[in-house]
Coordinates of all heavy atoms in Angstrom, one line a residue:
A1 N 0.8 -1.2 0.0 CA 0.0 0.0 0.0 C 0.9 1.3 0.0 O 0.6 2.2 -0.7 CB -0.9 0.0 1.2
L2 N 1.9 1.2 0.8 CA 2.8 2.4 0.8 C 3.5 2.7 -0.5 O 3.7 3.8 -1.0 CB 3.9 2.2 1.9 CG 3.3 2.3 3.4 CD1 4.4 2.0 4.4 CD2 2.8 3.7 3.7
R3 N 3.9 1.6 -1.2 CA 4.6 1.7 -2.5 C 3.7 2.3 -3.5 O 4.1 3.1 -4.3 CB 5.1 0.4 -2.9 CG 6.4 -0.1 -2.2 CD 6.9 -1.4 -2.7 NE 8.1 -1.8 -2.0 CZ 8.7 -3.0 -2.2 NH1 8.2 -3.9 -3.0 NH2 9.8 -3.3 -1.6
R4 N 2.4 2.0 -3.4 CA 1.4 2.6 -4.4 C 1.2 4.0 -4.1 O 0.8 4.8 -5.0 CB 0.1 1.8 -4.2 CG 0.1 0.4 -4.8 CD -1.2 -0.3 -4.7 NE -1.2 -1.6 -5.3 CZ -2.2 -2.4 -5.4 NH1 -3.4 -2.1 -4.8 NH2 -2.1 -3.6 -6.0
R5 N 1.6 4.5 -2.9 CA 1.5 5.9 -2.6 C 2.8 6.6 -2.8 O 3.0 7.8 -2.4 CB 1.0 6.1 -1.1 CG -0.4 5.6 -0.9 CD -1.4 6.7 -1.0 NE -1.4 7.4 -2.3 CZ -2.0 7.0 -3.4 NH1 -2.7 5.9 -3.4 NH2 -2.0 7.7 -4.5
G6 N 3.8 5.8 -3.3 CA 5.1 6.4 -3.5 C 6.0 6.5 -2.3 O 7.0 7.3 -2.3
I7 N 5.7 5.8 -1.2 CA 6.4 5.8 0.0 C 7.3 4.5 0.1 O 6.7 3.4 0.0 CB 5.5 5.9 1.2 CG1 4.7 7.2 1.1 CG2 6.3 5.9 2.5 CD1 3.6 7.3 2.2
V8 N 8.6 4.7 0.3 CA 9.4 3.5 0.4 C 10.1 3.6 1.8 O 10.2 4.7 2.4 CB 10.5 3.5 -0.7 CG1 9.9 3.3 -2.0 CG2 11.3 4.8 -0.7
G9 N 10.7 2.5 2.2 CA 11.3 2.5 3.5 C 10.3 2.2 4.6 O 9.4 1.3 4.5
W10 N 10.4 2.9 5.7 CA 9.4 2.8 6.8 C 9.5 1.4 7.5 O 8.5 0.9 8.0 CB 8.0 3.2 6.4 CG 7.8 4.6 6.2 CD1 8.7 5.6 5.9 CD2 6.5 5.3 6.3 NE1 8.1 6.8 5.7 CE2 6.8 6.7 6.0 CE3 5.2 4.9 6.6 CZ2 5.8 7.6 6.0 CZ3 4.2 5.9 6.6 CH2 4.5 7.2 6.3
S11 N 10.6 0.8 7.4 CA 10.8 -0.6 7.9 C 10.5 -0.7 9.4 O 9.8 -1.6 9.9 CB 12.1 -1.2 7.6 OG 12.4 -1.3 6.2
L12 N 11.0 0.3 10.1 CA 10.8 0.3 11.6 C 9.3 0.5 11.9 O 8.8 -0.1 12.8 CB 11.6 1.5 12.2 CG 11.5 1.6 13.7 CD1 11.9 0.4 14.4 CD2 12.3 2.8 14.2
T13 N 8.6 1.4 11.1 CA 7.2 1.6 11.4 C 6.4 0.3 11.1 O 5.6 0.0 11.9 CB 6.7 2.7 10.4 OG1 7.4 3.9 10.6 CG2 5.2 2.9 10.6
I14 N 6.7 -0.4 10.1 CA 6.1 -1.7 9.8 C 6.4 -2.7 10.9 O 5.5 -3.5 11.3 CB 6.5 -2.2 8.4 CG1 5.9 -1.3 7.3 CG2 5.9 -3.6 8.2 CD1 6.4 -1.6 5.9
C15 N 7.6 -2.7 11.4 CA 7.9 -3.6 12.5 C 7.2 -3.3 13.8 O 7.0 -4.2 14.6 CB 9.4 -3.6 12.8 SG 10.4 -4.3 11.5
T16 N 6.7 -2.1 14.0 CA 6.0 -1.8 15.2 C 4.5 -2.0 15.1 O 3.7 -1.6 16.0 CB 6.2 -0.3 15.6 OG1 5.8 0.6 14.5 CG2 7.7 -0.1 15.9
L17 N 4.0 -2.6 14.0 CA 2.6 -2.9 13.8 C 2.0 -3.7 15.0 O 0.9 -3.3 15.5 CB 2.4 -3.7 12.5 CG 2.3 -2.9 11.2 CD1 2.3 -3.8 10.0 CD2 1.0 -2.1 11.2
P18 N 2.7 -4.7 15.5 CA 2.1 -5.5 16.6 C 1.9 -4.6 17.9 O 0.9 -4.8 18.6 CB 3.2 -6.5 16.9 CG 3.9 -6.7 15.6 CD 3.9 -5.4 15.0
V19 N 2.8 -3.6 18.1 CA 2.6 -2.7 19.2 C 1.4 -1.8 19.0 O 0.7 -1.5 19.9 CB 3.9 -1.9 19.5 CG1 3.8 -1.0 20.7 CG2 5.1 -2.8 19.6
Y20 N 1.3 -1.3 17.8 CA 0.2 -0.4 17.4 C -1.1 -1.2 17.6 O -2.1 -0.6 18.1 CB 0.4 0.0 16.0 CG -0.7 1.0 15.5 CD1 -0.7 2.3 16.0 CD2 -1.5 0.7 14.4 CE1 -1.6 3.2 15.5 CE2 -2.5 1.6 14.0 CZ -2.5 2.9 14.5 OH -3.4 3.8 14.1
W21 N -1.2 -2.4 17.3 CA -2.4 -3.2 17.5 C -2.8 -3.3 18.9 O -3.9 -3.4 19.3 CB -2.2 -4.6 16.9 CG -2.1 -4.6 15.4 CD1 -2.3 -3.6 14.5 CD2 -1.6 -5.6 14.6 NE1 -2.0 -3.9 13.2 CE2 -1.6 -5.2 13.2 CE3 -1.1 -6.9 14.8 CZ2 -1.1 -6.0 12.2 CZ3 -0.7 -7.7 13.8 CH2 -0.7 -7.3 12.5
V22 N -1.8 -3.3 19.8 CA -2.1 -3.3 21.3 C -2.9 -2.0 21.6 O -3.9 -2.1 22.4 CB -0.8 -3.4 22.1 CG1 -1.1 -3.2 23.6 CG2 -0.1 -4.8 21.9
L23 N -2.5 -0.9 21.1 CA -3.2 0.3 21.3 C -4.6 0.3 20.8 O -5.5 0.7 21.4 CB -2.4 1.5 20.7 CG -1.0 1.8 21.2 CD1 -0.5 3.0 20.4 CD2 -1.0 2.1 22.7
I24 N -4.8 -0.4 19.6 CA -6.1 -0.5 19.1 C -6.9 -1.4 20.0 O -8.1 -1.2 20.2 CB -6.1 -1.1 17.7 CG1 -5.3 -0.2 16.7 CG2 -7.5 -1.4 17.2 CD1 -5.2 -0.7 15.3

């Protein structure tokens, strides 16, 4: 989804998905 928006990288952000889900 990010690549389709022209965003590359953000590996650390993607790695923190499980933590973000805890907040949800």
Side-chain angles (χ1 to χ4, degrees):
L2 289 175
R3 284 180 178 175
R4 289 182 175 178
R5 295 266 55 84
I7 300 174
V8 296
W10 287 26
S11 297
L12 179 60
T13 301
I14 294 174
C15 288
T16 59
L17 276 171
V19 182
Y20 185 65
W21 295 344
V22 172
L23 296 181
I24 296 177

